[in-house]
Amino acid sequence: MSLAQIRILWFFMRPSRGLYAAILALTLLVSILESVSLAAFFPVFQILMSRQAGASGLIGQFCDLIRRMPVGEPLVAACVILALIMVLKAALVMVREWLTAYASGTALHQLKGRLMRQYAEAPYDIFVDTKQGAWLYQCLRAPDTIAFVLLRSPQLLSELLKMAAILAVLASAWPAATAIVVVIGAAYNLLTQQMARRISYNTGKSRAAAATDQLHVATEFFRGIRSIGAFCAKPAWLSRFEQAGCRYRELYIQDQVWLAAPITVMEMTAILVLLGAVVVMHLGGKDQAGPLLPMMGVFGVAALRLLYAVTNFGRLKMELAGR
């Protein structure tokens, strides 16, 4: 996102800057809970697998916390702490999503109202020189793009902070394996960036043009339906509407297929990496693999969360580029 685009975004966010500050605070808090919940999985796996594997960083601190708790069953204590963290995180996520939707919906409502008031005060000559479909699109359809960007931008930031929190926990416990995860994530980010720049942007721009053409044809058709019927010109107008609709359909299908491609690639990559790790551990011998099992469990949970976060991040980038 360029500096000019950020300024435009801030222009629409500024009236609700207090609300977006609260959204940012909740996003940071959820990211912290994301890392804490991931670390809380390690003592659970450690106890279930009966492995005395060492751990450092936040994960090691959680293990020390479980050992110091005055509870007869460490597994119960670990599960209770993990459950409380997950419930709190889910509650904060729902509050954040509601605030984000509220801010986006409010901005959309205010923008449409402002446009209608400006059009109501505009001179009549402007309406004569411009097609009615253009006014309808600018007043009713164009503001949806602003609302969409205001909705997706906080979600994009949320996914970015979530990935950073997960990687920070993994790096504190197993830097070498985390480096591999970072390389895969960077390659995926580069792939989605190129797709967004070369495909989604052009597709979204063409979709907007096709939708505008279809709206113009429909508006002019309904306005002149009496004359069009009198001169037997209905087939020509229906043909124009069909051409614009077919163009939009092709672009819509193309956009949806490309949006589904990144998650498919990431799922395949994650499976291949996990299978490779299993093979390496097996070839290394049982004694070598045993102490790593709890940490591998944590990395498995982290892989699922990263897969969701990275695919969401790539999809959101492509959607924003298409707008």
Side-chain angles (χ1 to χ4, degrees):
M1 185 177 289
S2 64
L3 182 60
Q5 291 173 326
I6 294 176
R7 289 176 177 173
I8 294 174
L9 184 62
W10 173 245
F11 174 81
F12 292 101
M13 294 175 65
R14 186 169 52 190
S16 303
R17 52 184 176 272
L19 191 58
Y20 281 103
I23 293 173
L24 177 60
L26 283 174
T27 301
L28 292 173
L29 185 55
V30 169
S31 300
I32 294 174
L33 289 177
E34 188 76 37
S35 61
V36 172
S37 65
L38 183 61
F41 272 101
F42 184 83
V44 175
F45 292 146
Q46 188 181 45
I47 296 171
L48 287 175
M49 297 177 184
S50 300
R51 303 289 180 179
Q52 297 300 321
S56 58
L58 185 59
I59 295 178
Q61 294 177 5
F62 250 94
C63 293
D64 294 338
L65 175 63
I66 297 299
R67 284 193 293 266
R68 294 174 183 175
M69 291 186 65
V71 180
E73 289 291 338
L75 179 60
V76 175
C79 290
V80 169
I81 292 177
L82 179 58
L84 291 175
I85 294 172
M86 297 299 293
V87 170
L88 178 59
K89 188 188 77 169
L92 292 178
V93 167
M94 293 304 299
V95 174
R96 183 195 65 196
E97 292 300 316
W98 182 85
L99 288 177
T100 304
Y102 176 81
S104 175
T106 301
L108 176 63
H109 172 71
Q110 293 175 349
L111 181 57
K112 286 185 176 181
R114 189 186 310 167
L115 288 173
M116 282 297 294
R117 288 190 295 270
Q118 290 180 352
Y119 291 153
E121 298 174 358
Y124 179 75
D125 295 341
I126 296 180
F127 295 95
V128 175
D129 297 335
T130 307
K131 293 183 179 180
Q132 184 178 1
W135 293 111
L136 291 174
Y137 178 82
Q138 293 173 9
C139 183
L140 299 178
R141 296 287 298 274
D144 289 341
T145 301
I146 301 298
F148 182 85
V149 174
L150 292 176
L151 178 67
R152 290 292 187 252
S153 296
Q155 294 174 349
L156 186 71
L157 177 62
S158 173
E159 298 300 335
L160 181 62
L161 293 178
K162 181 190 297 185
M163 290 186 290
I166 293 174
L167 290 175
V169 174
L170 297 182
S172 67
W174 197 352
T178 307
I180 299 176
V181 175
V182 171
V183 170
I184 296 174
Y188 172 82
N189 181 66
L190 180 62
L191 173 64
T192 55
Q193 185 175 1
Q194 293 299 321
M195 291 176 63
R197 181 180 303 170
R198 299 183 179 183
I199 299 174
S200 294
Y201 175 77
N202 293 329
T203 303
K205 186 176 180 180
S206 300
R207 280 179 61 184
T212 303
D213 291 341
Q214 197 172 30
L215 181 62
H216 285 168
V217 173
T219 302
E220 296 297 328
F221 177 80
F222 291 129
R223 288 183 60 186
I225 185 64
R226 179 178 299 180
S227 301
I228 292 173
F231 288 96
C232 300
K234 290 182 179 180
W237 282 88
L238 292 176
S239 177
R240 290 178 56 189
F241 186 81
E242 179 68 16
Q243 291 176 0
C246 288
R247 178 58 178 162
Y248 185 87
R249 180 191 61 185
E250 294 173 359
L251 294 168
Y252 176 84
I253 295 173
Q254 178 182 342
D255 195 29
Q256 296 304 312
V257 170
W258 280 110
L259 286 175
I263 189 172
T264 304
V265 174
M266 278 302 298
E267 287 178 351
M268 178 189 66
T269 304
I271 293 298
L272 292 177
V273 171
L274 289 176
L275 290 176
V278 170
V279 171
V280 171
M281 291 175 62
H282 177 72
L283 295 178
K286 184 176 180 180
D287 293 337
Q288 179 180 351
L292 296 177
L293 288 178
M295 189 60 67
M296 289 297 296
V298 173
F299 266 76
V301 175
L304 292 176
R305 294 187 179 182
L306 281 174
L307 176 63
Y308 178 78
V310 170
T311 50
N312 262 353
F313 184 77
R315 178 181 57 82
L316 290 171
K317 282 205 313 180
M318 293 177 66
E319 286 182 351
L320 288 174
R323 293 282 174 157

